[in-house]
Amino acid sequence: MEALERAAEPEMKEEQAGPADAAPARADDAPAISLAGLTFFVVDAVAKQVIWMEPEGLDFEGEAGLKEAPLASALRRLSQGDQKQVLSLIQRAMQKGTAGPIDLGGDDIGHGLSLSARRYETSGGGAMVIAAADGDGVVETGGAAVRGVAPLIRHLVEGSSKSVLVVDSFGYVRYANDHFFRMFQIADKQFCIGRNIAHIPNRLGKTLPSLILTGLARRAPEHAARRFLLSSGDAVSLSFSLVPFRVSAGLGGAVFTAERQLAGGVDFQRVMDLLVTNILVVDVKTRMMVAANEAARRAFAMSQQMMESAPITETLLHPKTFKSLIDHAQQGSQTPVQATISGFDGITRSKRLKATLMHQDESIYLVIESKH
């Protein structure tokens, strides 16, 4: 049975691979077991094939039903510890006839799974192992409702302006909308979907995985605002909600939603990113940059984290230049001011800057437009 462990070793190594991988492994095209909602699996120990039933409750891809895959491919998305436990369960069942139960996940990260296994002899001298989830004594009456969970979530969030992420009760990423991938700067969703969020902080950034796993452990809703570190090294301030849910025994998870924190209730970012000229928005009182469009971020080599690191008078503009721009804006002058901007890349640029004051509630913002 040591061959079973050797069969899974390549995929166990792949689970730890970083974002520098040129492309997903070829086995990624095959089905993979998800522990949340798993009811049984059958192993042909000789052919090293696994058959199992994919639950419908969290099936966002519309592929629920009976699945079959080579052992290594089937287990590739389980954590290394879970892989070892499952392989050990299969080994003991083959050697002793019965094995288990083993507990996977447990209450520490949500609704755990308890598996027991038994060996069955087949005609021709073969053998197979059938592992089944132990019932928790609770009679589930919402089976029909379970099948509608994933389509309902997808319908509600697919076109949402918020970033949405759904993980199951074991921490495996089941779904994320397009806005999530844009916000967290993830180019290829296949590096995240189906993976355990604990194993991919180098793809999502360090903040989000720990937040999700803590939320699953507490199993309590959370609504707050915080800075999220991204895998690129940048950081972004977001308002977020994390809502755990359960749809049946052993089947549940959490929904994470987030959106950018708005300055004064106005979403400058969405509008300004459509413009090709460089636009900066500065809080006159604090002198902090509250927004910059994509063109300005490229032109001055700055990130969101850099914008939030210090006042504009300590980074891009000299204090006298900033004061001059405010004076011109107060006078209603439409004539651009010739000024020097020091980019975050160390390059000093001479620009023609047009300034306009904008009042929003009790705050005053200076909108700076860079003319070439």
Side-chain angles (χ1 to χ4, degrees), residues 24-40:
R26 184 177 301 175
D28 277 355
D29 295 333
I33 288 177
S34 297
L35 294 179
L38 182 67
T39 54
F40 76 92

Side-chain angles (χ1 to χ4, degrees), residues 44-280:
D44 184 332
V46 177
K48 299 183 179 63
Q49 289 287 119
V50 185
I51 297 174
W52 72 97
M53 181 70 75
E54 178 72 14
E56 296 179 304
L58 290 177
D59 176 36
F60 284 91
E61 303 302 324
E63 297 177 353
L66 201 61
K67 302 291 180 181
E68 180 178 1
L71 179 63
S73 295
L75 301 183
R76 70 182 186 276
R77 288 180 177 170
L78 303 188
S79 67
Q80 194 169 20
D82 287 344
Q83 285 192 42
K84 288 182 178 180
Q85 284 207 74
V86 171
L87 289 172
S88 178
L89 179 74
I90 297 171
Q91 287 180 359
R92 292 198 301 271
M94 284 294 293
Q95 294 167 357
K96 300 180 180 181
T98 61
I102 61 170
D103 293 322
L104 302 174
D107 289 337
D108 287 340
I109 59 169
H111 311 288
L113 180 69
S114 181
L115 286 175
S116 298
R118 181 181 296 272
R119 185 187 71 229
Y120 290 87
E121 307 295 334
T122 62
S123 59
M128 65 176 60
V129 172
I130 299 179
D134 294 340
D136 59 3
V138 178
V139 177
E140 294 293 335
T141 60
V146 169
R147 289 192 289 272
V149 172
L152 177 61
I153 294 176
R154 166 167 266 169
H155 174 74
L156 293 175
V157 305
E158 189 93 307
S160 174
S161 60
K162 295 183 179 180
S163 294
V164 181
L165 175 73
V166 180
V167 296
D168 66 25
S169 49
F170 288 84
Y172 290 85
V173 179
R174 289 288 191 143
Y175 170 79
N177 65 352
D178 291 338
H179 198 69
F180 173 86
F181 290 113
R182 289 196 300 270
M183 179 173 286
F184 283 84
Q185 301 175 11
I186 301 169
D188 189 345
K189 68 178 183 179
Q190 293 306 319
F191 280 136
C192 296
I193 298 296
R195 308 294 178 130
N196 192 303
I197 200 167
H199 301 150
I200 52 175
N202 53 348
R203 296 164 190 169
L204 298 174
K206 296 180 179 179
T207 311
L208 183 59
S210 61
L211 176 70
I212 295 294
L213 293 174
T214 301
L216 288 173
R218 293 176 177 172
R219 282 181 279 177
E222 183 177 0
H223 308 278
R226 65 179 299 175
R227 287 170 59 83
F228 285 77
L229 296 174
L230 306 181
S231 60
S232 63
D234 198 359
V236 60
S237 297
L238 301 175
S239 299
F240 74 90
S241 295
L242 182 65
V243 181
F245 65 89
R246 181 180 181 181
V247 292
S248 70
L251 183 57
V255 178
F256 168 85
T257 60
E259 60 184 342
R260 292 182 182 273
Q261 288 184 273
L262 306 181
V266 177
D267 188 354
F268 298 110
Q269 202 68 53
R270 189 179 304 174
V271 177
M272 292 196 306
D273 278 344
L274 301 175
L275 306 177
V276 296
T277 56
N278 304 327
I279 303 291
L280 300 173

Side-chain angles (χ1 to χ4, degrees), residues 274-351:
L274 301 175
L275 306 177
V276 296
T277 56
N278 304 327
I279 303 291
L280 300 173
V281 180
V282 185
D283 188 316
V284 172
K285 182 177 180 180
T286 64
R287 299 190 175 188
M288 295 297 295
M289 286 181 281
V290 296
N293 68 347
E294 186 175 354
R297 293 194 296 271
R298 286 198 309 266
F300 306 130
M302 62 183 180
S303 65
Q304 184 72 24
Q305 188 171 10
M306 292 173 178
M307 289 169 52
E308 299 173 357
S309 64
I312 193 172
T313 50
E314 296 178 14
T315 54
L316 298 182
L317 298 176
H318 190 278
K320 290 183 179 180
T321 302
F322 184 72
K323 180 63 167 59
S324 176
L325 290 173
I326 293 177
D327 292 341
H328 274 71
Q330 289 176 335
Q331 296 168 10
S333 175
Q334 298 298 312
T335 305
V337 177
Q338 194 71 29
T340 299
I341 295 183
S342 301
F344 285 92
D345 54 3
I347 299 176
T348 300
R349 302 167 176 85
S350 180
K351 295 286 186 179

